Amino acid sequence: MVGSLATRHGKRVAIGPPLRRRLGLRLRVADVDTDVLGTFTGEVPRPGPADEVVVTKARLGMAETGCPVGVASEGSFGPHPALPWCTLQVEHVVLVDDRIGLVLVERATSTASNHGELVTDGVDRDALLRFAREVGLPGHAVTVRPAVPPAGAAYPVVKGIVRVPALLAAVAGAVGASADGRARVAADLRAHHNPRRMAVIAQAAARLAGRLATPCPACGTPGFGVVGTEPGLPCADCRTPTELPAGRILGCARCPHRSTRSAEAPADPRWCPRCNP
Ligand SMILES: [Zn+2]
Ligand SMILES: [Zn+2]
């Protein structure tokens, strides 16, 4: 079986192997302009939440290739809900199979991305080079643009910079063009320029493949797996419910069948609101 993979950013190396190994699905790259669904550098805002845009992206690839099966991925970066000073990367990978009416999204997360930016007037070259090293040049790339875009003129974002001379030239150009004389230098988050991001996409793809290898016990559709958790794991000492999950809810991507798998052990009393308030 062949499916389409909508990407211009070389994601087949991360998404292809687990789907081929576990499901025998081969991916054909669909050359669709996924930038119309949003860019990390902000020229195009993403038209909706990542878990919806990823489905739209897969469908673009299916339309381009005529495959009834399509795959795509979409990443997002934002503050971690529990640790607001920390950036949370969430990678979504979807498989759409119109032959059986299946849309299944899986995720993987990381707090170890190189997401970050530096605003500089270009004078402090040491700070600029330190930032480039933290991002991971030359294995990872950076983007450069004016901190304040010049009025009335579209100044292009320079992307995919992996060499220091090119970085210095791009910063000088953006400083000269910016209304405030400063350049904005950021990690290039496109997957083919960001091996750290690509590794998280691979994790999400492996999860998706594992889930698709599990059929629903009720209807046989591929993709039975964890869809939620049940709160209230009881304390080992006093049985008071804690905030830890008491079990995982397994569900089908197509039919309403659900089952729960209880946690194997009760909660450590240090998480108990009564034993350790
Ligand atoms: Zn089912
Ligand atoms: Zn307790």
Side-chain angles (χ1 to χ4, degrees):
M1 182 62 208
V2 175
S4 67
L5 173 64
T7 183
R8 280 185 177 169
H9 297 160
K11 291 176 179 172
R12 188 161 62 177
V13 293
I15 299 175
L19 293 176
R20 193 174 58 238
R21 237 184 356 254
R22 307 242 10 207
L23 311 167
L25 179 69
R26 293 180 178 278
L27 295 181
R28 187 201 305 173
V29 171
D31 183 32
V32 292
D33 184 9
T34 52
D35 281 358
V36 300
L37 298 176
T39 59
F40 286 117
T41 31
E43 303 98 316
V44 184
R46 189 166 57 205
D51 58 350
E52 290 174 17
V53 168
V54 72
V55 177
T56 308
K57 199 185 270 190
R59 290 209 173 277
L60 283 180
M62 293 159 73
E64 166 76 20
T65 57
C67 289
V69 178
V71 176
S73 100
E74 178 74 17
S76 67
F77 294 81
H80 192 293
L83 314 164
W85 57 90
C86 194
T87 295
L88 181 67
Q89 171 191 358
V90 185
E91 297 295 342
H92 302 77
V93 179
V94 69
L95 180 127
V96 177
D97 188 339
D98 276 347
R99 299 168 307 168
I100 55 171
L102 178 71
V103 176
L104 186 63
V105 180
E106 266 295 345
R107 291 161 193 82
T109 61
S110 167
T111 52
S113 76
N114 63 350
H115 178 272
E117 64 173 35
L118 172 78
V119 176
T120 174
D121 58 11
V123 176
D124 188 348
R125 189 175 282 199
D126 286 347
L128 178 59
L129 297 183
R130 204 178 316 124
F131 177 78
R133 257 197 316 275
E134 283 166 12
V135 166
L137 251 64
H140 294 69
V142 294
T143 65
V144 175
R145 67 188 128 149
V148 179
Y155 189 90
V157 181
V158 186
K159 302 182 183 181
I161 301 168
V162 293
R163 300 273 167 222
V164 170
L167 171 62
L168 297 177
V171 168
V175 163
S178 179
D180 72 347
R182 298 193 300 166
R184 191 178 298 278
V185 187
D188 194 329
L189 298 173
R190 294 172 301 159
H192 58 317
H193 282 295
N194 201 314
R196 260 187 259 182
R197 180 169 170 234
M198 196 71 103
V200 184
I201 295 172
Q203 282 174 23
R207 251 184 220 175
L208 179 69
R211 190 155 161 201
L212 286 165
T214 311
C216 169
C219 75
T221 301
F224 194 71
V226 177
V227 294
T229 55
E230 258 178 4
L233 184 66
C235 167
D237 282 356
C238 74
R239 311 305 293 171
T240 300
T242 66
E243 285 186 9
L244 296 178
R248 296 193 297 175
I249 303 164
L250 306 181
C252 176
R254 202 173 61 168
C255 85
H257 182 70
R258 297 286 180 270
S259 66
T260 51
R261 191 182 289 160
S262 300
E264 281 162 14
D268 190 300
R270 73 186 148 131
W271 304 114
C272 174
R274 201 165 131 203
C275 300
N276 187 18

